């Protein structure tokens, strides 16, 4: 199988080339124009308010998905101000766009065969009617091995033919994977899944660039960190903490299998969570300025833990 897009981590032109190819990232909102029922007159003010969409994963006290909650149990806050829940869809059926990113750096080489087998099983499990998945590999550069597709055998073949390389461009993987997802159609859930040892070494993008790309794409980031050294004293944990922060800000999660045979269970948890998510939406009051990131929080009444994205981008050029 011949990979058709290669994005070098070591040059800014590579990142810019991807942006040029895919076009601008989608914003987090769907506009709604509010106006009076009377005919429009000279001097009338038309106010455009944008619907902010988000996904929420809710777990009970036993860390199991809680699928039977009501609209009244959810509260949304933007910059600390309560908002009215306008959209509520439990166990959302929105189709998925998934970017599966596999770390093929030499530090992962001994575990790579087991990881790719587990990933191939996950593909068959997670891709359902209407869903699409693309396979990427990353080491010192990020390579997209397939287009977004529901062709499970083709996707599995790509996963099983990844090529080892030098370096680990973790931030580039988050950044470029998010940009690829952002180019997709609206009305679909966007999910970025990284299998990595989190040992960042060669990225051109930095932490904040990667984080903002994921937020602008409205992508959920899930990371499965396969640690070659279990003791924190024997490894650099900065990459792990960085990925935890990015995943948390998007509403995703980070998983740490203690042994490789736990990897399928990590994939199962991700799949189960994706099938029990709540879709929420609201029209922000007051209306935010354009070009800014707004802090948001979802709370659920009762003994539950909720994960959702912590910010959204209001659209337009950044301030």
């Amino acid at each position: 199988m011949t990979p058709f897009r290669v994005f070098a981590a070591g040059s800014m032109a590579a990142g810019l080339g991807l942006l040029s190819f895919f076009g601008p990232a989608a914003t987090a909102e769907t506009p709604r124009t509010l106006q009076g029922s009377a005919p429009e007159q000279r001097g009338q003010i038309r106010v455009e308010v944008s619907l902010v969409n988000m996904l929420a994963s809710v777990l009970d006290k036993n860390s199991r998905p809680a699928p039977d909650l009501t609209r009244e149990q959810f509260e949304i806050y933007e910059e600390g101000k309560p908002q009215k829940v306008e959209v509520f869809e439990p166990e959302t059926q929105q189709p998925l766009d998934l970017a599966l990113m596999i770390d093929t750096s030499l530090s992962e080489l001994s575990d790579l065969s087991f990881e790719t087998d587990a990933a191939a099983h996950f593909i068959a499990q997670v891709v359902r009617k209407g869903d699409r998945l693309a396979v990427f590999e990353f080491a010192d550069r990020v390579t997209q091995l397939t287009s977004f597709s529901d062709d499970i055998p083709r996707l599995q073949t790509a996963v099983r033919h990844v090529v080892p390389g030098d370096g680990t461009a973790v931030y580039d993987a988050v950044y470029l994977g998010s940009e690829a997802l952002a180019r997709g159609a609206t009305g679909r859930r966007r999910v970025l899944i990284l299998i990595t040892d989190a040992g960042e070494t060669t990225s051109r993008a930095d932490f904040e660039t990667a984080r903002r790309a994921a937020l602008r794409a409205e992508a959920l980031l899930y990371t499965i960190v396969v640690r070659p050294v279990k003791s924190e004293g024997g490894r650099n944990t900065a990459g792990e903490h960085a990925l935890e922060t990015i995943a948390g800000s998007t509403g995703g999660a980070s998983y740490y299998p203690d042994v490789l045979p736990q990897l399928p269970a990590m994939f199962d948890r991700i799949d189960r969570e994706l099938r029990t998510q709540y879709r929420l939406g609201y029209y922000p009051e007051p209306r935010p300025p354009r070009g800014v990131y707004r802090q948001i929080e979802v709370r659920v009444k009762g003994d539950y833990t909720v994960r959702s994205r912590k910010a959204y981008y209001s659209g337009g050029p950044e301030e």
Side-chain angles (χ1 to χ4, degrees):
M1 177 173 295
T2 302
F4 59 92
R5 294 179 193 144
V6 178
F7 310 114
S11 98
M12 181 62 74
L16 293 176
L18 179 68
L19 286 170
S20 175
F21 183 90
F22 282 120
T27 61
E29 307 153 15
T30 303
R32 178 184 73 174
T33 299
L34 302 180
Q35 55 184 339
S37 58
E40 188 170 335
Q41 300 175 359
R42 181 179 300 177
Q44 179 179 354
I45 298 174
R46 302 175 72 238
V47 179
E48 186 180 85
V49 181
S50 296
L51 178 69
V52 178
N53 290 289
M54 69 182 70
L55 298 167
S57 299
V58 184
L59 305 178
D60 64 18
K61 60 183 178 181
N62 297 313
S63 297
R64 295 176 300 197
D68 300 319
L69 304 180
T70 65
R71 179 195 297 255
E72 290 69 30
Q73 289 177 269
F74 286 81
E75 298 174 341
I76 301 175
Y77 296 83
E78 179 173 317
E79 299 292 342
K81 296 181 174 61
Q83 307 291 320
K84 181 181 179 182
V85 179
E86 299 279 3
V87 175
F88 178 77
E89 183 185 345
E91 295 191 18
T92 178
Q93 298 301 305
Q94 272 193 329
L96 293 165
D97 281 346
L98 303 105
L100 179 60
M101 322 284 294
I102 300 175
D103 181 349
T104 61
S105 60
L106 294 179
S107 57
E108 287 281 281
L109 190 57
S110 62
D111 299 330
L112 194 55
S113 177
F114 192 95
E115 291 174 9
T116 54
D117 283 345
H121 176 77
F122 173 69
I123 289 171
Q125 179 181 7
V126 75
V127 176
R128 303 183 186 181
K129 184 178 181 180
D131 298 335
R132 301 180 303 200
L133 184 145
V135 177
F136 297 73
E137 64 182 25
F138 67 97
D140 60 332
R141 62 182 63 202
V142 180
T143 304
Q144 184 172 353
L145 300 177
T146 71
S147 59
F148 285 90
S149 168
D150 61 357
D151 186 341
I152 292 175
R154 178 168 172 261
L155 295 169
Q156 291 175 319
T157 298
V159 162
R160 291 191 170 109
H161 288 81
V162 296
V163 178
D166 296 324
T168 310
V170 172
Y171 295 147
D172 285 352
V174 174
Y175 171 72
L176 296 172
S178 297
E179 289 293 331
L181 288 166
R183 184 64 182 90
T186 58
R188 302 176 65 86
R189 288 178 289 164
R190 297 166 178 169
V191 181
L192 187 63
I193 300 173
L194 263 69
I195 310 170
T196 180
D197 64 4
E200 165 60 48
T201 59
T202 59
S203 287
R204 179 65 175 177
D206 60 16
F207 166 83
E208 189 60 17
T209 301
R211 188 184 74 88
R212 290 193 173 196
L215 288 173
R216 290 186 66 142
E218 301 180 44
L220 294 166
L221 173 62
Y222 292 92
T223 65
I224 299 177
V225 179
V226 180
R227 297 168 291 189
V229 179
K230 304 306 178 187
S231 170
E232 288 196 6
R235 68 180 193 275
N236 182 356
T237 60
E240 297 173 23
H241 296 156
L243 284 178
E244 284 181 10
T245 300
I246 297 174
S249 69
T250 68
S254 295
Y255 298 105
Y256 296 88
D258 291 320
V259 292
L260 279 178
Q262 292 179 346
L263 200 56
M266 304 294 100
F267 280 123
D268 287 345
R269 290 179 66 178
I270 294 171
D271 178 59
R272 188 166 60 250
E273 182 169 309
L274 292 175
R275 302 304 168 185
T276 55
Q277 287 177 322
Y278 294 83
R279 186 168 73 92
L280 309 173
Y282 70 96
Y283 293 100
E285 291 290 344
R287 181 190 178 197
R290 290 176 62 79
V292 298
Y293 290 86
R294 303 284 287 179
Q295 300 301 308
I296 50 179
E297 179 186 4
V298 176
R299 302 175 189 172
V300 176
K301 299 174 184 177
D303 190 11
Y304 300 102
T305 301
V306 59
R307 289 203 309 269
S308 62
R309 60 185 171 129
K310 304 297 191 298
Y312 75 93
Y313 182 67
S314 64
E318 291 191 30
E319 290 187 346

